[in-house]
PDB file of all heavy atoms in Angstrom:
ATOM      1  N   GLN A   4    -135.095  19.906  57.041  1.00  0.00           N
ATOM      2  CA  GLN A   4    -136.316  20.648  56.756  1.00  0.00           C
ATOM      3  C   GLN A   4    -136.431  20.946  55.265  1.00  0.00           C
ATOM      4  O   GLN A   4    -135.496  21.448  54.659  1.00  0.00           O
ATOM      5  CB  GLN A   4    -136.263  21.966  57.546  1.00  0.00           C
ATOM      6  CG  GLN A   4    -137.595  22.650  57.680  1.00  0.00           C
ATOM      7  CD  GLN A   4    -138.551  21.880  58.589  1.00  0.00           C
ATOM      8  OE1 GLN A   4    -138.169  21.458  59.674  1.00  0.00           O
ATOM      9  NE2 GLN A   4    -139.763  21.681  58.129  1.00  0.00           N
ATOM     10  N   VAL A   5    -137.574  20.580  54.683  1.00  0.00           N
ATOM     11  CA  VAL A   5    -137.775  20.931  53.274  1.00  0.00           C
ATOM     12  C   VAL A   5    -138.240  22.381  53.177  1.00  0.00           C
ATOM     13  O   VAL A   5    -138.776  22.944  54.130  1.00  0.00           O
ATOM     14  CB  VAL A   5    -138.797  19.997  52.572  1.00  0.00           C
ATOM     15  CG1 VAL A   5    -138.281  18.568  52.561  1.00  0.00           C
ATOM     16  CG2 VAL A   5    -140.164  20.089  53.204  1.00  0.00           C
ATOM     17  N   LEU A   6    -138.020  22.947  52.032  1.00  0.00           N
ATOM     18  CA  LEU A   6    -138.367  24.350  51.818  1.00  0.00           C
ATOM     19  C   LEU A   6    -139.869  24.513  51.646  1.00  0.00           C
ATOM     20  O   LEU A   6    -140.570  23.591  51.212  1.00  0.00           O
ATOM     21  CB  LEU A   6    -137.684  24.859  50.546  1.00  0.00           C
ATOM     22  CG  LEU A   6    -136.168  24.980  50.588  1.00  0.00           C
ATOM     23  CD1 LEU A   6    -135.654  25.198  49.172  1.00  0.00           C
ATOM     24  CD2 LEU A   6    -135.745  26.121  51.494  1.00  0.00           C
ATOM     25  N   ARG A   7    -140.327  25.696  51.972  1.00  0.00           N
ATOM     26  CA  ARG A   7    -141.701  26.023  51.618  1.00  0.00           C
ATOM     27  C   ARG A   7    -141.685  26.597  50.204  1.00  0.00           C
ATOM     28  O   ARG A   7    -140.653  27.092  49.728  1.00  0.00           O
ATOM     29  CB  ARG A   7    -142.284  27.027  52.614  1.00  0.00           C
ATOM     30  CG  ARG A   7    -142.904  26.289  53.806  1.00  0.00           C
ATOM     31  CD  ARG A   7    -143.598  27.233  54.722  1.00  0.00           C
ATOM     32  NE  ARG A   7    -142.609  28.007  55.461  1.00  0.00           N
ATOM     33  CZ  ARG A   7    -142.810  28.471  56.680  1.00  0.00           C
ATOM     34  NH1 ARG A   7    -143.962  28.271  57.277  1.00  0.00           N
ATOM     35  NH2 ARG A   7    -141.891  29.162  57.311  1.00  0.00           N
ATOM     36  N   ILE A   8    -142.806  26.486  49.540  1.00  0.00           N
ATOM     37  CA  ILE A   8    -142.878  26.904  48.142  1.00  0.00           C
ATOM     38  C   ILE A   8    -142.400  28.346  47.967  1.00  0.00           C
ATOM     39  O   ILE A   8    -141.645  28.675  47.049  1.00  0.00           O
ATOM     40  CB  ILE A   8    -144.312  26.701  47.591  1.00  0.00           C
ATOM     41  CG1 ILE A   8    -144.533  25.200  47.370  1.00  0.00           C
ATOM     42  CG2 ILE A   8    -144.542  27.485  46.303  1.00  0.00           C
ATOM     43  CD1 ILE A   8    -145.926  24.805  46.949  1.00  0.00           C
ATOM     44  N   ARG A   9    -142.807  29.201  48.901  1.00  0.00           N
ATOM     45  CA  ARG A   9    -142.432  30.620  48.821  1.00  0.00           C
ATOM     46  C   ARG A   9    -140.899  30.757  48.868  1.00  0.00           C
ATOM     47  O   ARG A   9    -140.295  31.494  48.086  1.00  0.00           O
ATOM     48  CB  ARG A   9    -143.092  31.376  49.977  1.00  0.00           C
ATOM     49  CG  ARG A   9    -142.958  32.873  49.932  1.00  0.00           C
ATOM     50  CD  ARG A   9    -144.011  33.526  50.837  1.00  0.00           C
ATOM     51  NE  ARG A   9    -144.216  32.796  52.100  1.00  0.00           N
ATOM     52  CZ  ARG A   9    -143.453  32.971  53.193  1.00  0.00           C
ATOM     53  NH1 ARG A   9    -142.467  33.817  53.190  1.00  0.00           N
ATOM     54  NH2 ARG A   9    -143.700  32.275  54.286  1.00  0.00           N
ATOM     55  N   GLU A  10    -140.276  29.951  49.784  1.00  0.00           N
ATOM     56  CA  GLU A  10    -138.812  30.008  49.914  1.00  0.00           C
ATOM     57  C   GLU A  10    -138.126  29.464  48.654  1.00  0.00           C
ATOM     58  O   GLU A  10    -137.119  30.016  48.191  1.00  0.00           O
ATOM     59  CB  GLU A  10    -138.364  29.179  51.127  1.00  0.00           C
ATOM     60  CG  GLU A  10    -138.857  29.745  52.445  1.00  0.00           C
ATOM     61  CD  GLU A  10    -138.725  28.735  53.589  1.00  0.00           C
ATOM     62  OE1 GLU A  10    -138.857  27.511  53.345  1.00  0.00           O
ATOM     63  OE2 GLU A  10    -138.489  29.183  54.716  1.00  0.00           O
ATOM     64  N   ALA A  11    -138.692  28.403  48.134  1.00  0.00           N
ATOM     65  CA  ALA A  11    -138.112  27.806  46.925  1.00  0.00           C
ATOM     66  C   ALA A  11    -138.133  28.805  45.777  1.00  0.00           C
ATOM     67  O   ALA A  11    -137.151  28.951  45.040  1.00  0.00           O
ATOM     68  CB  ALA A  11    -138.890  26.547  46.541  1.00  0.00           C
ATOM     69  N   ASN A  12    -139.239  29.520  45.643  1.00  0.00           N
ATOM     70  CA  ASN A  12    -139.343  30.514  44.572  1.00  0.00           C
ATOM     71  C   ASN A  12    -138.342  31.658  44.772  1.00  0.00           C
ATOM     72  O   ASN A  12    -137.754  32.150  43.817  1.00  0.00           O
ATOM     73  CB  ASN A  12    -140.768  31.069  44.509  1.00  0.00           C
ATOM     74  CG  ASN A  12    -141.672  30.171  43.679  1.00  0.00           C
ATOM     75  OD1 ASN A  12    -141.264  29.684  42.626  1.00  0.00           O
ATOM     76  ND2 ASN A  12    -142.880  29.933  44.161  1.00  0.00           N
ATOM     77  N   ARG A  13    -138.153  32.040  46.033  1.00  0.00           N
ATOM     78  CA  ARG A  13    -137.220  33.137  46.316  1.00  0.00           C
ATOM     79  C   ARG A  13    -135.793  32.710  45.932  1.00  0.00           C
ATOM     80  O   ARG A  13    -135.065  33.450  45.283  1.00  0.00           O
ATOM     81  CB  ARG A  13    -137.306  33.507  47.804  1.00  0.00           C
ATOM     82  CG  ARG A  13    -136.534  34.749  48.182  1.00  0.00           C
ATOM     83  CD  ARG A  13    -136.941  35.261  49.557  1.00  0.00           C
ATOM     84  NE  ARG A  13    -136.972  34.193  50.571  1.00  0.00           N
ATOM     85  CZ  ARG A  13    -135.894  33.685  51.169  1.00  0.00           C
ATOM     86  NH1 ARG A  13    -134.704  34.141  50.861  1.00  0.00           N
ATOM     87  NH2 ARG A  13    -136.003  32.723  52.061  1.00  0.00           N
ATOM     88  N   LEU A  14    -135.423  31.441  46.307  1.00  0.00           N
ATOM     89  CA  LEU A  14    -134.086  30.944  46.000  1.00  0.00           C
ATOM     90  C   LEU A  14    -133.888  30.726  44.494  1.00  0.00           C
ATOM     91  O   LEU A  14    -132.774  30.824  43.982  1.00  0.00           O
ATOM     92  CB  LEU A  14    -133.840  29.616  46.729  1.00  0.00           C
ATOM     93  CG  LEU A  14    -133.628  29.719  48.243  1.00  0.00           C
ATOM     94  CD1 LEU A  14    -133.736  28.347  48.882  1.00  0.00           C
ATOM     95  CD2 LEU A  14    -132.273  30.339  48.548  1.00  0.00           C
ATOM     96  N   ALA A  15    -134.950  30.426  43.793  1.00  0.00           N
ATOM     97  CA  ALA A  15    -134.835  30.140  42.350  1.00  0.00           C
ATOM     98  C   ALA A  15    -134.476  31.391  41.562  1.00  0.00           C
ATOM     99  O   ALA A  15    -133.897  31.304  40.491  1.00  0.00           O
ATOM    100  CB  ALA A  15    -136.144  29.544  41.850  1.00  0.00           C
ATOM    101  N   LYS A  16    -134.785  32.553  42.103  1.00  0.00           N
ATOM    102  CA  LYS A  16    -134.494  33.826  41.430  1.00  0.00           C
ATOM    103  C   LYS A  16    -134.911  33.791  39.960  1.00  0.00           C
ATOM    104  O   LYS A  16    -134.151  34.152  39.058  1.00  0.00           O
ATOM    105  CB  LYS A  16    -132.996  34.146  41.511  1.00  0.00           C
ATOM    106  CG  LYS A  16    -132.515  34.359  42.941  1.00  0.00           C
ATOM    107  CD  LYS A  16    -131.080  34.900  42.919  1.00  0.00           C
ATOM    108  CE  LYS A  16    -130.557  35.183  44.304  1.00  0.00           C
ATOM    109  NZ  LYS A  16    -129.819  34.053  44.880  1.00  0.00           N
TER     110      LYS A  16
END
Side-chain angles (χ1 to χ4, degrees):
Q4 197 69 47
V5 297
L6 292 168
R7 272 186 287 210
I8 286 175
R9 188 161 40 85
E10 295 165 327
N12 275 318
R13 188 165 48 78
L14 287 166
K16 296 189 178 93

